[in-house]
Structures are given as structure tokens and as C-alpha cells.
């Protein structure tokens, strides 16, 4: 149906887009079902020292069980002397069907925050075959690798059980506390694990250094190109095109 | 390598300005292979409405995005191994041991998402300016077909890295086919090449992805452009520019596509590439949206992931599927959610094209269906429980009610008179 109207230029699209924005209630946020809040960790992949130190820590604490098969040809792997012969191999049916997985991509399939919290939240639980349970990954089959370094953590509230508190998002240090210290102080231990997380984050995507340095050039070049073409076409447009318009 | 390409582009750009010096050679070639007269015909003799705005760059961007996929795809195929044992590790080989393999792979994985973003904007432009209305019905249908083909291409490609989500998402979607009456189960086995999703399925999907759907997409883009150049571009005012022509038959409200719009759009295409490469170099997984965390775990038929979800660009359709309690009806609704768009030219009874001259009801209808689509896209990535399930049912209802109500709305809406000529500019 047409309504004759003197307002000849019509509406503009802006109001349409505003209605659209108002109608799309994208304010919802996702709620996971974890027991504890994950700790944040600031990953600085330019810190080569931390990555190397993390690699050494990994060899010391983890490589007896976990392989990094995709990583062995990397420059850092070579300098740490991680070769494919040194990688452990487990048959599928070892460890009750849960053999230690390859960790080449773990920082991408989980996240650095997840790793950082997971590795620091083991606590004594007599019901588990290994004697330890974990807040982030309840009933994990991985034995606590840090009994010597971290010491023993215990539940503050002995009645706490992960299955009952799913979705609580509690802060983990409100749930467990250190009962007996290990050979490292609390800060030194956090650094030790932090180094491992840095290392594993690097391992998940070693292209990062090359990416960042190449990115600067490509984006700089494109930016320059944008300015040149825009200026050129404005200029050409001013000189040649205007008179053609009806 | 990239620097090289960019430098070559720059040199070409300079050459383009010296090229007129080589007119003789050009004429010699053109007499034998009419490339230049073809370009002239479709660029500098193509009458483009003079008021084309930024929304009209998305078609060109879609071609750029498609080209990026083909070039990077060819390099990936050189190193990728389509078997259940090797697929996952061959992708890691590309990422780590092939020189610049990470670049090619990230370009390809970012490219899909960016292509879909571009296409969704391209479609929105069409909806906003009524580009689907006569005489562009077939052009529109070829577009919806392209969307369909892109979804098939993206889906088969998503399976190839053979991660957890590749495996389980493909299993869920293939199993939908079994709800087709009579032939369903046979069809599933035929597609899978096996009684379960397996390495044979992977190999088939590889074939579909690399030579099947990709070539259909090329063909369909060609048809799309041919149809566009037969009926001509619509414009933001929806004015029919062919009504008023000068004595030579050139529409009074048109300017040649080259140089006007080519030159106007080149910096914009470069801005697109800038954003694209910023993602490739600095956020290639794009916070788990362009490359999902779950897919960095190798496929394991014995462990079902806690939460199976599709890639973001397919999630609206997946949300529709899940919002309907019956599996076969859900699959049907999912199919209809795209097919119904093909009928849009005949569901729209308004005498005007562009939303600029439509009443508030049509405008709200469009805003509602688009919002419902975006909301469905969000919900398709969440677990379908409680409030989320309820919301996705509401959104699905709103989405489909658009197709029912649009004829009524467009018939009764109070539209404005469209001017004879393109106003202003
Ligand atoms: C591979 C995907 C596609 C490519 C490469 C492509 C390319 C193009 C190009 C180059 C144009 C002319 C420039 C412009 O108007 O933006 C165009 C116009 C158009 N396309 Fe597409 N397109 C694609 C997908 C689609 C889809 C999915 C739809 C709709 C569902 C669609 C509908 C249209 C319509 C209606 C026009 C005419 C617009 C007008 O004149 O106002 N296209 N397309």
C-alpha cells in the first residue's frame, strides 16, 4: 500500500539498525558448570626465559608420563633436547583405560587458566586410589605430580564434595588450604607451575613469534596501501570524475 | 611470500597506469581472445546506480573471500592426509613443520568465518533494499543456493581436521538424514561409506570439500554474476534506473562501474584485508569462535564430548533443530529455515523495494527476523537447557512467523511513494 507523501527522500537505514540492536538481547553470558573459579594468568610468550624454564620443569615433573609428539621438531624442543625417543608411549589399555594424553595442544583444547588452576588444586582425599583428588578436574586419574614441591593441601570444610558444589564458582583457596609445605615456598611453586603453563602455551602454537613479527609488516604495508589508494582515488576522483555525474 | 604478493599487487597497480602505452599489444590479443573487451563490457560499460553505498561492497568482498579460500586450500591439500589415522597429525605437521604452513592454515580457517560474515551482510543488504524483488528473483534464488552450498562446503571442511568436534558434529548432522522416510538409513550408509562415521567418511567428505561443493560454488557464482549483469544492480532507494535513459540508452542515474565504484571500493577491500590479517596474525582462534577449543583434541569415537556444538556460522540452524522436540520435524524445520528464503520474492507484496520507503511494520518485521536469527546463533552455541531452550523456542517461533506474516504486513503497510529518479547524492 502506498501513502503519497511529500517526504521524498525516504528513511535512512540507521533506525532499522537501532531497532535491530535493541531487539537482539545478546547480553546473556554463558555459565559453565565448574566447581571453582579459574585463576587468571598473564601469559607473556615473548618471555623466552620463562618458556625455557617451563620446558625444564616439564621434563622434570611431567615427561615421565606425558608426550609432546607434535613438538619434537621445534627450535625450543631441540634446545631442550626433547627428542621423539624420549617421549613416553602408553598402550590404550594402560592406566585403567586412561593413559596420560599427549599434551602438544593442551593449552588450546583447555586453556592456560585451566592448566594453571588444575595443576595447583590437588588435595588429600582418602577415597581416591592415588590418595589425591582435584578441584578443577574432579576424580582425575592423574596422580598429584607435586607432592614433593607443593606439599599437602586439604579441604577446609571436610564435608565438601565436588559433585555437590558443581556450578559454585568458589575461589579455590577458600575451599582448600596448605597443610604441610613442600620444598618450594608458595610463591616459588606458583612460578614453577606458571613456567610450565607458559611452556605448554608456547608448545600449543609455536608460530606465535613468527606470527607477531610478520603481522607488523603485513598490517603496516596494508595500512600504507590503504592510505595511498584512498588518497590517489580521491585525487583522481576530484580531477576526472565529478563532471561525469548527472 | 605475503610481502611478495603485496609488492606484486603494488607493481601491478603502478603498471595499470602505464598500460595504455601498450594499446597495440592489447588489440592484438583482444582480436584473438576477447579478455579486454569482456572486462570493458562488464566493468566500464556496466551501468551502476550512482547512489550505491558501502553495503554494495560485500558482493566484491565475497569474491575476494572465495579466492582466498581457493588459494590457501590448494596449499593445504598438498600436505593434508585424509585418513582417520593421519588427518589430525597432518594438520599439526602443516602448523609446525611446513614453512609458513601455519599462515596458510590460519588464513583458511579465518577465511571461512570472514566469508560467512561477509555473506550475512550481503544478504542483509538484499533484504534491506528489496533486491530480491522483480526482476531479481532468480538472482536471489541463486544467492540462497550459494548460501546452501557454502554451508555444505563449510560442513565438509570442518570434518577434515578430524578433531573431537569434527567427528561428533558430523555424526549428529549425518544422523539427521536417517529421519528421511524410506531411503533415510540407506542414504546414511551410502554417504558414510560405512555403518559408522569413520575414516571412509572422512575420505568422502574430503572429496566433496575439495572438488565437489567447491566447484559447484564457482559455477553458481558465475551464474550469479551473469544474472546480476542481465537484470542490473538494485540500489539503496530501490529506484528503477532503467526507466530514464539518455539518447544512447545509458540510464541517467547510472555511472560506469569502472572507474567509479572499482576505485571507491579498492580501499575498502584493503580495509577488509587489514582486519582479516589482523585476526590471522594476532587472534587466529578468535577466542574459540573461529577455531573451537574442543577441536584441538583428536577424534575419539569412544568419548562423547559433554556439549556438541557446530561452528558459529551454522549455529542458528542448529538451534532451530534443537528447539523442536521431534528429531525429524527438527531436521525439516532446519531445512525450511533456509529454503523458505527462496520464496521471499513472492511473499513480499509491497509495491516498493527499499526499506527506505516502507512503513514501520515491514521495518520491524525485518528487524525481528534478523534479531531472532542472531539470538538463535548465540543459543546454538550454548547447552539447550532451561531458559536457553525456552528462548530458542521463542526465537524459532519468531523466525518462522516472519514468513507467515510478511505477506500480510507488506500488503497492509503504509509505504511511501518512491521517487522517479534517484534523489540527492
Ligand atoms: C559466494 C557467495 C556470493 C558471491 C561471491 C556473491 C557475489 C555478488 C556480487 C559481486 C554482486 C554484485 C555486487 C553487490 O551488489 O554487492 C552480488 C549481488 C547480489 N547478490 Fe550475491 N554473492 C554471493 C552470495 C549471495 C547470497 C547468499 C545471496 C542471497 C541469499 C545473494 C544475493 C544477491 C543479490 C540479491 C544481489 C543483487 C543486489 C542488488 O543489486 O541490490 N548473493 N552478489
Amino acid at each position: 500500500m502506498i501513502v503519497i507523501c511529500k517526504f521524498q527522500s525516504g528513511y535512512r537505514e540507521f533506525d532499522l539498525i537501532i531497532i535491530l540492536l535493541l531487539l537482539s538481547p545478546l547480553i546473556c553470558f554463558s555459565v559453565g558448570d565448574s566447581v571453582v573459579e579459574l585463576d587468571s594468568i598473564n601469559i607473556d610468550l615473548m618471555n623466552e626465559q620463562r618458556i625455557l624454564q617451563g620446558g625444564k620443569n616439564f621434563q622434570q615433573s611431567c615427561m615421565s608420563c606425558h608426550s609432546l609428539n607434535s613438538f619434537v621438531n621445534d627450535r625450543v624442543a631441540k634446545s631442550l633436547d626433547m627428542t621423539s625417543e624420549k617421549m613416553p608411549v602408553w598402550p590404550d589399555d594402560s592406566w585403567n583405560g586412561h593413559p596420560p594424553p599427549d599434551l602438544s595442544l593442551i593449552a588450546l583444547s583447555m586453556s592456560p587458566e585451566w592448566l594453571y588452576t588444575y595443576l595447583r588444586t590437588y588435595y588429600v582425599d582418602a577415597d581416591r586410589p592415588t590418595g589425591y583428588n582435584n578441584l578443577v578436574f574432579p576424580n582425575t586419574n592423574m596422580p598429584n605430580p607435586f607432592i614433593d614441591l607443593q606439599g599437602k593441601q586439604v579441604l577446609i570444610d571436610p564435608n565438601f564434595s565436588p559433585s555437590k558444589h558443581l556450578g559454585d564458582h568458589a575461589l579455590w583457596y577458600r575451599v582448600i588450604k596448605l597443610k604441610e609445605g613442600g620444598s618450594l615456598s608458595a610463591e616459588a611453586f606458583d612460578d614453577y607451575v606458571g613456567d610450565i603453563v607458559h611452556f605448554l602455551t608456547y608448545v600449543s602454537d609455536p608460530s606465535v613469534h613468527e606470527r607477531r613479527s610478520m603481522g607488523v609488516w603485513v598490517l603496516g604495508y596494508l595500512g600504507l596501501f590503504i592510505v595511498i589508494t584512498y588518497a590517489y582515488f580521491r585525487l583522481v576522483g576530484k580531477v576526472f570524475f565529478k563532471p561525469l555525474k548527472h | 611470500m605475503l610481502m611478495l604478493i603485496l609488492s606484486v599487487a603494488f607493481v601491478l597497480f603502478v603498471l595499470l597506469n602505464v598500460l595504455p602505452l601498450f594499446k597495440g599489444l592489447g588489440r592484438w590479443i583482444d582480436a584473438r581472445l576477447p579478455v579486454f573487451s569482456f572486462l570493458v563490457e562488464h566493468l566500464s560499460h556496466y551501468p551502476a546506480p550512482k547512489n550505491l553505498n558501502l553495503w554494495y561492497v560485500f558482493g566484491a568482498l565475497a569474491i575476494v573471500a572465495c579466492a582466498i579460500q581457493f588459494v590457501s586450500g590448494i596449499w593445504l591439500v598438498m600436505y593434508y592426509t585424509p585418513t582417520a589415522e593421519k588427518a589430525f597429525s597432518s594438520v599439526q605437521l602443516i602448523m609446525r613443520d611446513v614453512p609458513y604452513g601455519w599462515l596458510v592454515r590460519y588464513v583458511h580457517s579465518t577465511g571461512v568465518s570472514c566469508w560467512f560474515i561477509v555473506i550475512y551482510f550481503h544478504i542483509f543488504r538484499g533484504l534491506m533494499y528489496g533486491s530480491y524483488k522483480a526482476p531479481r528473483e532468480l538472482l536471489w534464488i541463486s544467492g540462497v543456493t550459494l548460501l546452501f552450498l557454502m554451508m555444505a562446503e563449510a560442513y565438509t571442511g570442518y570434518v577434515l581436521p578430524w578433531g573431537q568436534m569434527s567427528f561428533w558434529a558430523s555424526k549428529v548432522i549425518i544422523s539427521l538424514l536417517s529421519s528421511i522416510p524410506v531411503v533415510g538409513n540407506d542414504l546414511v550408509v551410502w554417504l558414510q561409506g560405512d555403518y559408522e562415521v569413520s575414516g571412509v567418511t572422512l575420505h568422502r567428505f574430503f572429496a566433496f570439500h575439495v572438488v565437489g561443493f567447491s566447484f559447484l560454488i564457482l559455477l553458481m557464482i558465475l551464474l550469479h554474476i551473469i544474472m546480476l549483469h542481465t537484470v542490473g544492480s538494485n540500489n539503496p532507494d530501490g529506484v528503477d534506473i532503467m526507466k530514464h535513459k539518455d539518447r544512447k540508452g545509458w540510464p541517467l542515474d547510472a555511472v560506469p562501474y569502472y572507474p567509479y565504484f572499482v576505485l571507491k571500493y579498492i580501499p575498502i577491500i584493503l580495509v577488509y584485508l587489514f582486519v582479516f590479517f589482523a585476526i590471522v596474525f594476532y587472534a587466529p582462534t578468535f577466542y574459540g569462535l573461529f577455531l573451537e577449543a574442543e577441536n584441538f583434541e583428536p577424534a575419539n569415537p569412544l568419548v562423547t564430548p559433554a556439549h556438541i556444538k557446530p561452528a558459529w556460522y551454522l549455529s542458528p540452524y542448529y538451534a532451530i533443530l534443537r528447539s523442536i522436540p521431534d528429531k525429524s520435524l527438527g531436521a525439516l524445520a532446519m531445512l525450511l529455515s533456509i529454503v523458505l528464503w527462496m520464496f521471499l520474492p513472492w511473499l513480499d507484496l509491497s509495491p516498493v523495494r527499499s526499506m527506505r520507503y516502507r512503513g514501520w511494520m515491514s521495518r520491524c518485521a525485518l528487524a525481528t527476523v534478523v534479531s531472532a536469527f542472531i539470538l538463535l546463533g548465540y543459543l546454538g552455541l550454548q547447552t539447550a537447557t532451561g531458559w536457553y531452550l525456552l528462548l530458542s523456542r521463542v526465537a524459532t517461533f519468531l523466525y518462522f512467523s516472519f514468513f507467515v506474516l510478511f505477506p500480510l504486513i507488506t500488503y497492509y503497510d503504509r509505504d511511501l511513494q518512491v521517487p522517479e529518479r534517484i534523489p540527492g547524492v
Side-chain angles (χ1 to χ4, degrees):
Chain A
M1 189 192 291
I2 293 266
V3 183
I4 305 293
C5 175
K6 285 216 180 90
F7 179 46
Q8 285 258 304
S9 63
Y11 308 109
R12 292 284 134 174
E13 292 81 354
F14 297 115
D15 58 334
L16 194 70
I17 301 203
I18 288 168
I19 304 175
L20 222 153
L21 287 178
L22 289 178
L23 283 182
S24 47
L26 279 177
I27 358 147
C28 3
F29 41 88
S30 70
V31 195
D33 45 3
S34 64
V35 180
V36 287
E37 191 77 37
L38 296 184
D39 272 353
S40 61
I41 173 168
N42 192 10
I43 300 286
D44 173 15
L45 289 173
M46 292 299 142
N47 192 338
E48 191 98 355
Q49 217 45 50
R50 268 204 105 167
I51 293 174
L52 283 171
Q53 186 56 48
K56 289 186 190 130
N57 300 355
F58 185 89
Q59 285 172 312
Q60 189 181 325
S61 304
C62 321
M63 226 167 79
S64 53
C65 296
H66 290 286
S67 59
L68 294 174
N69 288 327
S70 306
F71 183 60
V72 288
N73 290 330
D74 190 78
R75 167 181 66 85
V76 172
K78 295 221 167 85
S79 68
L80 287 167
D81 197 27
M82 288 185 175
T83 55
S84 46
E85 297 83 58
K86 290 190 181 152
M87 294 298 161
V89 184
W90 299 103
D92 282 350
D93 53 358
S94 58
W95 294 83
N96 292 323
H98 294 278
D102 184 273
L103 295 183
S104 304
L105 287 163
I106 194 71
L108 281 168
S109 69
M110 303 313 280
S111 69
E113 290 76 19
W114 186 89
L115 280 172
Y116 188 53
T117 321
Y118 168 54
L119 294 173
R120 285 149 64 243
T121 52
Y122 274 93
Y123 62 92
V124 175
D125 180 350
D127 294 343
R128 297 292 307 159
T130 60
Y132 285 87
N133 206 337
N134 189 282
L135 283 181
V136 173
F137 188 167
N139 302 336
T140 175
N141 287 304
M142 168 159 122
N144 183 356
F146 298 128
I147 302 174
D148 296 338
L149 298 177
Q150 185 187 27
K152 274 186 186 169
Q153 296 186 118
V154 292
L155 287 174
I156 295 172
D157 170 10
N159 294 324
F160 178 92
S161 111
S163 53
K164 260 191 277 167
H165 292 261
L166 212 67
D168 264 12
H169 291 273
L171 294 166
W172 66 268
Y173 45 81
R174 298 262 161 78
V175 181
I176 51 178
K177 61 168 194 260
L178 196 62
K179 192 172 158 224
E180 256 170 53
S183 58
L184 291 178
S185 69
E187 292 78 37
F189 177 69
D190 282 356
D191 279 348
Y192 185 88
V193 176
D195 290 346
I196 293 181
V197 175
H198 269 75
F199 171 71
L200 286 175
T201 307
Y202 172 78
V203 169
S204 287
D205 183 4
S207 73
V208 61
H209 293 132
E210 213 178 346
R211 263 199 288 129
R212 289 187 187 171
S213 56
M214 195 168 162
V216 176
W217 285 100
V218 173
L219 294 188
Y221 206 95
L222 276 170
L224 188 73
F225 216 5
I226 291 169
V227 173
I228 293 175
T229 49
Y230 183 71
Y232 177 79
F233 297 146
R234 279 303 289 260
L235 212 74
V236 173
K238 277 246 162 59
V239 177
F240 296 107
F241 301 163
K242 275 279 148 58
L244 263 171
K245 291 209 170 174
H246 287 274
Chain B
M1 181 187 70
L2 212 77
M3 302 295 293
L4 199 76
I5 295 175
L6 288 176
S7 317
V8 169
F10 191 75
V11 170
L12 272 181
F13 167 68
V14 174
L15 268 185
L16 216 65
N17 294 287
V18 204
L19 214 60
L21 301 177
F22 297 96
K23 264 206 167 118
L25 180 66
R27 252 186 255 119
W28 186 88
I29 295 177
D30 209 59
R32 287 150 185 84
L33 178 72
V35 268
F36 298 113
S37 44
F38 182 84
L39 286 181
V40 166
E41 182 62 32
H42 287 275
L43 288 172
S44 44
H45 288 175
Y46 180 67
K50 64 181 186 184
N51 61 339
L52 293 191
N53 55 16
L54 267 192
W55 290 99
Y56 277 77
V57 81
F58 287 105
L61 286 181
I63 293 179
V64 171
C66 180
I68 289 176
Q69 290 315 94
F70 268 85
V71 173
S72 55
I74 290 171
W75 255 267
L76 287 178
V77 174
M78 292 179 196
Y79 298 96
Y80 171 79
T81 316
T83 62
E85 299 73 33
K86 289 263 179 67
F88 192 86
S89 58
S90 72
V91 172
Q92 285 311 307
L93 180 93
I94 293 171
M95 292 300 287
R96 294 159 191 266
D97 299 340
V98 175
Y100 296 109
W102 56 268
L103 178 61
V104 177
R105 203 263 172 140
Y106 279 150
V107 162
H108 204 73
S109 62
T110 310
V112 205
S113 284
C114 289
W115 192 2
F116 269 97
I117 294 171
V118 163
I119 280 303
Y120 282 136
F121 277 113
H122 187 68
I123 298 174
F124 181 59
R125 182 279 317 267
L127 294 174
M128 207 162 46
Y129 298 143
S131 301
Y132 48 85
K133 287 177 79 75
R136 297 183 185 81
E137 301 95 326
L138 284 185
L139 173 62
W140 172 258
I141 289 177
S142 76
V144 180
T145 313
L146 267 171
L147 176 65
F148 223 94
L149 288 174
M150 277 176 66
M151 289 167 59
E153 178 77 355
Y155 166 64
T156 48
Y158 191 72
V159 175
L160 302 184
W162 211 236
Q164 265 298 63
M165 227 19 95
S166 301
F167 181 84
W168 289 95
S170 67
K171 211 172 156 87
V172 168
I173 300 299
I174 289 188
S175 77
L176 291 181
L177 294 176
S178 68
S179 62
I180 298 175
V182 192
V183 291
N185 287 321
D186 291 334
L187 190 67
V188 169
V189 174
W190 180 73
L191 257 183
Q192 286 176 180
D194 203 338
Y195 292 100
E196 286 293 333
V197 171
S198 71
V200 186
T201 322
L202 173 65
H203 217 140
R204 287 190 178 193
F205 276 32
F206 177 67
F208 290 141
H209 184 74
V210 175
V211 276
F213 294 122
S214 61
F215 275 79
L216 286 177
I217 286 179
L218 281 190
L219 184 72
M220 202 40 88
I221 290 179
L222 191 69
L223 291 180
H224 195 66
I225 305 291
I226 291 175
M227 286 188 237
L228 175 79
H229 280 229
T230 310
V231 292
S233 287
N234 183 30
N235 59 75
D237 282 295
V239 170
D240 187 355
I241 60 166
M242 296 303 171
K243 272 199 205 148
H244 299 275
K245 295 182 176 169
D246 65 15
R247 249 183 265 119
K248 288 185 211 138
W250 184 265
L252 289 175
D253 277 332
V255 293
Y257 194 79
Y258 178 86
Y260 283 93
F261 289 108
V262 173
L263 295 198
K264 182 174 166 188
Y265 288 158
I266 281 178
I268 302 167
I269 291 173
L270 290 172
V271 170
Y272 170 79
L273 289 178
F274 188 93
V275 175
F276 177 76
F277 280 111
I279 298 173
V280 166
F281 287 116
Y282 294 101
T285 63
F286 210 71
Y287 313 102
L289 267 182
F290 289 5
L291 283 170
E292 293 85 350
E294 294 85 346
N295 228 17
F296 288 110
E297 236 171 280
N300 185 347
L302 301 177
V303 180
T304 320
H307 168 204
I308 299 178
K309 60 179 194 196
W312 72 266
Y313 40 78
L314 300 181
S315 65
Y317 318 103
Y318 187 61
I320 289 177
L321 168 75
R322 281 192 312 186
S323 70
I324 291 169
D326 180 83
K327 195 172 125 186
S328 350
L329 281 182
L332 187 68
M334 190 162 98
L335 186 70
L336 279 180
S337 69
I338 304 153
V339 171
L340 280 177
W341 287 111
M342 294 201 177
F343 297 97
L344 189 64
W346 298 277
L347 295 177
D348 184 345
L349 302 178
S350 169
V352 310
R353 289 200 185 90
S354 170
M355 282 289 161
R356 284 187 180 177
Y357 298 94
R358 301 231 185 166
W360 64 270
M361 284 198 289
S362 310
R363 300 157 76 77
C364 284
L366 176 57
T368 309
V369 74
V370 175
S371 307
F373 186 76
I374 296 174
L375 185 60
L376 283 168
Y378 174 76
L379 293 168
L381 297 176
Q382 314 300 323
T383 43
T385 45
W387 279 103
Y388 283 168
L389 186 60
L390 189 71
L391 252 182
S392 66
R393 291 199 169 135
V394 172
T396 303
F397 177 78
L398 283 177
Y399 185 85
F400 284 108
S401 57
F402 172 83
F403 297 98
V404 178
L405 295 179
F406 205 51
L408 289 172
I409 287 176
T410 47
Y411 186 77
Y412 288 111
D413 207 3
R414 295 160 64 83
D415 298 330
L416 305 180
Q417 177 74 49
V418 181
E420 273 295 302
R421 298 276 309 272
I422 288 176
V425 195

